[in-house]
Amino acid sequence: MTKFRVGWRWHVVVLFSVPAALTLATVALAGHDPAMPPVTVLAAFLPGLIMQMITTGLAEKPGWREFAMPRLQRRYGPLLGTLVVGPLWGAWHLPLFMSDWGNWPHMSWTTPLEFIATAIAFSFVMTWVFNRTGESLPLAMLLHCGVNNFFSLARSDMFPSLSTGDAAHGFLLSSTAAAAVLLIATRGRLGCPPIRDAHAPQGRTA
């Protein structure tokens, strides 16, 4: 939780790749370029991100990423560990769909299923960032909160004609594409270093 000292390139990549990927995916679905957000949105983007880190980040990430993921990864590997954390993380949000946040009671039954699918896909991205930064929880929090901040502040101004459902499709599209690229590029290792079995017999060294 206190590993803030990670290469500055990682902070830049995480900070800018999230809104860039979400914008590109939404453009692909909307079929038109985004509108320039007003100055007030741009001015509020960084304070909003900090607020997301303090609230959403600290509310979710210590449990799912700091506690659960390393233990599951050591026992089952990064691929299966992510396939355990992803659905649980998505299902943990299901009570929100019974509130105004989830457009209850006018919500389609496919909406929470799409949300869980997105959580699974995005979890692969989070696992890769978490592993590649030496298990830096602040960087994992920044990755997640960047998504929330984009949807909370910028999305409606950049794509005013796009519905909330279509915006969710964009998140699913970008997460799935990123997860597929990372899984193929890392051959399913997702940046996880070789895990040494403490109970395995030790071979002789030359």
Side-chain angles (χ1 to χ4, degrees):
M1 288 182 66
T2 58
K3 189 168 187 177
F4 292 93
R5 297 187 66 179
V6 182
W8 64 267
R9 292 179 181 84
W10 277 106
H11 292 274
V12 173
V13 167
V14 171
L15 186 62
F16 290 101
S17 64
V18 170
L22 291 172
T23 299
L24 289 174
T26 309
V27 165
L29 291 175
H32 60 80
D33 293 337
M36 183 65 183
V39 176
T40 52
V41 170
L42 297 176
F45 203 82
L46 185 57
L49 185 60
I50 294 173
M51 184 61 67
Q52 288 280 351
M53 291 280 286
I54 296 172
T55 55
T56 302
L58 288 177
E60 296 187 18
K61 289 291 133 330
W64 298 120
R65 297 294 154 186
E66 179 77 2
F67 178 81
M69 191 61 214
R71 287 160 175 79
L72 288 168
Q73 186 168 247
R74 283 195 295 268
R75 185 166 184 177
Y76 301 110
L79 183 59
L80 186 55
T82 303
L83 286 174
V84 173
V85 169
L88 290 175
W89 179 41
W92 187 68
H93 293 80
L94 289 180
L96 288 174
F97 289 95
M98 300 180 68
S99 68
D100 292 339
W101 182 91
N103 198 31
W104 181 265
H106 308 292
M107 174 197 68
S108 168
W109 65 272
T110 60
T111 302
L113 294 181
E114 180 179 359
F115 184 89
I116 293 177
T118 304
I120 296 171
F122 192 58
S123 286
F124 286 110
V125 183
M126 296 200 68
T127 297
W128 179 75
V129 170
F130 187 63
N131 285 331
R132 289 285 291 159
T133 57
E135 297 188 355
S136 170
L137 186 67
L139 261 293
M141 290 167 53
L142 183 64
L143 181 70
H144 176 202
C145 294
V147 174
N148 290 6
N149 201 44
F150 177 84
F151 282 110
S152 298
L153 292 178
R155 196 274 306 172
S156 59
D157 288 298
M158 295 174 66
F159 301 95
S161 62
L162 204 67
S163 68
T164 303
D166 288 335
H169 300 337
F171 186 20
L172 176 59
L173 175 63
S174 58
S175 298
T176 303
V181 169
L182 291 174
L183 286 169
I184 293 171
T186 66
R187 299 181 180 180
R189 293 303 302 169
L190 298 172
C192 180
I195 300 173
R196 180 180 174 183
D197 187 352
H199 301 289
Q202 302 296 311
R204 293 186 178 182
T205 57

